[in-house]
Structure formats: C-alpha cells, structure tokens
Amino acid sequence: MANSMIRKSAPNQVGFSAKARQWVTAVFVVVGLVAAFLIFNAVIGGKCDSHCVIGMLNQTLRYAAPVALAAFCGIMCERAAVVNIGIEGMMLMGAMVAYAANLFSFVAMKSAGLDPATAGEVSRVLALVAAIAASGLLALLHAFVSIRFRADQIISGTVINILAIGITGYFYRQFLSQDIPAGPGTFPPFDIPLLAQIPVIGAIFFSGQKPIVYLMLILTVAIHFVLFYTPWGLRTRAVGENPRAADTLGIDVYRVRYINVFVGGLIAGLGGAWFTLEAVDVFNPLMTNGLGFIGLAAMIFGSWAPIGAWVGALIFGLGSTVTTTISIFRPDIPSQLPQMLPYILTMIVLAGFVGRAVPPAADGQPYEKQ
C-alpha cells in the first residue's frame, strides 16, 4: 500500500517520459564532457594523453568525495522531508574536530611511549570517529529544533552554519593557530587488492585513493540499496511524500525523521573529515569553501537519488581537476580564471536541470501528529 502511495505521489520517477528524459540528459552530459575535454586539451597544447586522462579521472574521484558525501547527507534528510542547509556547518565542524583530535591524540600517545607510526594510525582513526560524532551532534540539534519544535528548517540550518563558524573560529584562534607540534599527517593512499589490477577501471577507482574516498563509493551503493530496496527506505520515502498517510499506516514519522537526519549528519562529518584527514594536514577557518552547498546542488541534479547525486559530484570534481591541470601546464593563465570553473559548471548544471527536478512532496513541511 505504501508502495502504491509513493508511486502515486511521484509519477515523474516512472514511465516512459521520465526515462526518455534521463537518457537525453545522459547523452547531453556525455557530449558536453567530450566537447569540454577537446577545448581543455587545446588550451594546454594537446599535452593530455591517455595516461593523463586516467590520472585526471582518478583525481576527479578524490575531489568529488566531499561533495558526494554532502549530497548523501541532504538526501537522507530530504527523503524524510527535512531540509538541511546546515550541511556546510556540519562539515566545517567535522573538519576542525578531525584535525584537533588527530593532532592532540597523536601527541598524547607519542608522549606515552607509543612509536610514531602506530600512534599516527590510531590517532587518524580516532579523529575520524570524533569528526563523525561531532557532526552527528549538530544534526541532532537540527532535528530537535525542526521536528520537536517545528521551527522553520531553513532558519535552523542557517543557525547551524553560523554556530559552526563561530565555534570553529574560536577554537582555531585559541588553540590551533599557535605554535603547535607537528601532527601525524593525513591518511596514506593505498590500492584495493585485485580490483586495482583491472585495466583502466582499477587505475581510476581502486588505486592510490584514500579511505574516505573508498567509503564514499561504498555509501553510494549502500544508500541506494537502503532507500529503494529495504522496508526502512520505503518508510523514509513514504514519510517524505505523505507523512499523514504514512502515520495512518503505522509508521512513526518522528522516529523516521530523527534517525535519517542523524545518519545524514554522520555522513556530513565524514565529508568534513576529508578536508583535514585526506586533503591537507591543517585546519583553516571556512576551509570547506561552500562544498556543503555544492553538495545540495548535486543532490538536486541527481533528483534526490544517491547515484545521480554522485554523478553530479563527479562533474564538480572534474572541474576541480581541470583547474589543477591547467595551473600546471599553463602557469601563464591567471589562477583565478580556472578556479572559477567548478562553480561555473555547477551553475550551468543547476540552470539546466533544477527546473525539472521534483523534490519529495512533503519536503520542508513540519509534521504534527493528530
């Protein structure tokens, strides 16, 4: 019955016209990417051969990780009808907590006599857990305000962002901008045995990546499976489309929303940890640089589906990779110009697709049980 309710509420997800539009979109994206590559290769003087392309795609996957994780956070929340624009703040908090936990736990364990290599491995894992937990707490705050008190979800998300900027800025000035000892560094890259040997695919997906990138790939499949092939996913989509009808069927709307927002916050913390545990071994205020909002754009591009959002994140990651490559081969071009490319691509994607994307029917609507 719930299945039929969802199908009735979201007719754009089935039927020939929707599928035809998806194929047209896919063809448009592929043709656009090929044209963009030809222009890019002309700009750098034709220096990008097949090895260069594989290396760029490998790097694209790395840059796409925080955007994809932010998008997955948005999907988990909005599929249960809770808008979350506080993802940026959750990621920023995760980045700072990860850096601080990594640094101070490493120093403490080394002072206790543990060898630096082992202390570094343990401190990075502890930092990852701490970042996920900190972001999860912020998500619970957002859930409590939005669900329990039925506050405006946009305002609640904005407050989360401002709160995170204030807290991380304070701790940075008080504890992290002084003369501090060297930390253990970031996660080292590694290959997945056997899978890394697959021609082309192995070099792009399973070679030289770091743990959070691999976790992002696993989450892409796992969230898709949970949302579309499990009873929990069915309940989540029912709550997102018609919470009153879901309540009538015996689904605890509040419980579904709390759990989804909390899980989304955990995923956002993983995305925040990417900045200080995989990208650079340092924390700077506002270092997330708006990627939480870009993740929301990827979510809309992917029509609130994990695989579509992952593709949207790859487009942004490709823009970042092209920016880096142009800076290497054409240092005479002002760096500000290629740095605009990922954001321009995001605007083009949104301008082309956001008008046709349909969110869950009850998205952003508080629910009160009668």
Side-chain angles (χ1 to χ4, degrees):
M1 187 173 180
N3 255 328
S4 62
M5 178 181 70
I6 292 173
R7 284 195 297 267
K8 185 177 181 180
S9 301
N12 64 304
Q13 295 184 6
V14 296
F16 175 77
S17 59
K19 291 181 179 178
R21 187 169 64 243
Q22 290 173 353
W23 277 107
V24 170
T25 300
V27 171
F28 176 80
V29 170
V30 170
V31 172
L33 289 175
V34 170
F37 173 75
L38 294 175
I39 296 173
F40 156 75
N41 208 20
V43 169
I44 65 172
K47 297 176 182 176
C48 196
D49 56 13
S50 58
H51 294 290
C52 168
V53 171
I54 291 176
M56 287 181 62
L57 293 177
N58 180 280
Q59 196 172 34
T60 293
L61 193 66
R62 192 176 314 148
Y63 286 145
V67 178
L69 292 169
F72 297 161
C73 172
I75 290 170
M76 292 301 297
C77 295
E78 296 201 17
R79 279 289 183 179
V82 178
V83 172
N84 186 359
I85 66 166
I87 299 173
E88 178 78 6
M90 295 174 189
M91 291 176 70
L92 186 62
M93 182 66 77
M96 189 209 69
V97 171
Y99 173 70
N102 189 22
L103 174 65
F104 294 125
S105 62
F106 172 73
V107 172
M109 283 186 284
K110 202 170 67 168
S111 300
L114 204 63
D115 68 276
T118 304
E121 293 175 0
V122 175
S123 66
R124 283 189 286 268
V125 174
L126 291 176
L128 187 62
V129 174
I132 292 172
S135 180
L137 289 176
L138 276 183
L140 278 180
L141 175 62
H142 178 59
F144 189 67
V145 173
S146 302
I147 301 170
R148 173 67 178 80
F149 294 105
R150 296 184 291 280
D152 188 295
Q153 297 169 8
I154 300 297
I155 295 176
S156 175
T158 303
V159 170
I160 294 291
N161 288 330
I162 295 173
L163 182 65
I165 291 172
I167 292 175
T168 56
Y170 172 79
F171 278 93
Y172 173 76
R173 288 190 296 273
Q174 292 295 322
F175 305 108
L176 303 177
S177 61
Q178 313 297 324
D179 294 330
I180 55 177
T186 61
F187 280 115
F190 64 95
D191 298 348
I192 300 294
L194 300 178
L195 295 178
Q197 307 305 318
I198 300 173
V200 182
I201 299 296
I204 295 172
F205 289 93
F206 307 114
S207 178
Q209 301 289 3
K210 296 184 178 182
I212 294 177
V213 176
Y214 292 125
L215 287 174
M216 179 269 291
L217 291 174
I218 293 172
L219 282 173
T220 305
V221 178
I223 294 174
H224 179 84
F225 178 79
V226 168
L227 281 179
F228 298 106
Y229 295 99
T230 66
W232 179 261
L234 182 60
R235 294 189 188 104
T236 297
R237 288 182 290 135
V239 168
E241 295 294 340
N242 194 330
R244 185 72 61 199
D247 196 359
T248 304
L249 292 173
I251 297 173
D252 189 332
V253 175
Y254 295 147
R255 177 170 172 265
V256 170
R257 288 188 172 182
Y258 269 114
I259 292 177
N260 275 278
V261 173
F262 178 62
V263 171
L266 300 180
I267 296 172
L270 189 62
W274 177 89
F275 291 91
T276 50
L277 293 180
E278 290 203 351
V280 292
D281 182 25
V282 66
F283 174 78
N284 289 311
L286 305 178
M287 71 182 304
T288 48
N289 203 26
L291 293 193
F293 298 111
I294 299 296
L296 289 175
M299 174 193 71
I300 296 171
F301 171 82
S303 296
W304 287 262
I307 294 177
W310 178 69
V311 173
L314 286 178
I315 293 174
F316 182 86
L318 181 61
S320 300
T321 304
V322 169
T323 297
T324 304
T325 308
I326 290 177
S327 300
I328 294 173
F329 287 107
R330 290 293 304 273
D332 55 313
I333 296 178
S335 61
Q336 292 83 358
L337 292 178
Q339 284 173 1
M340 292 190 297
L341 183 61
Y343 301 96
I344 293 174
L345 277 177
T346 302
M347 292 174 64
I348 293 174
V349 165
L350 282 178
F353 299 98
V354 71
R356 283 164 277 176
V358 180
D363 200 9
Q365 299 176 9
Y367 178 71
E368 185 174 7
K369 190 177 180 65
Q370 293 181 343

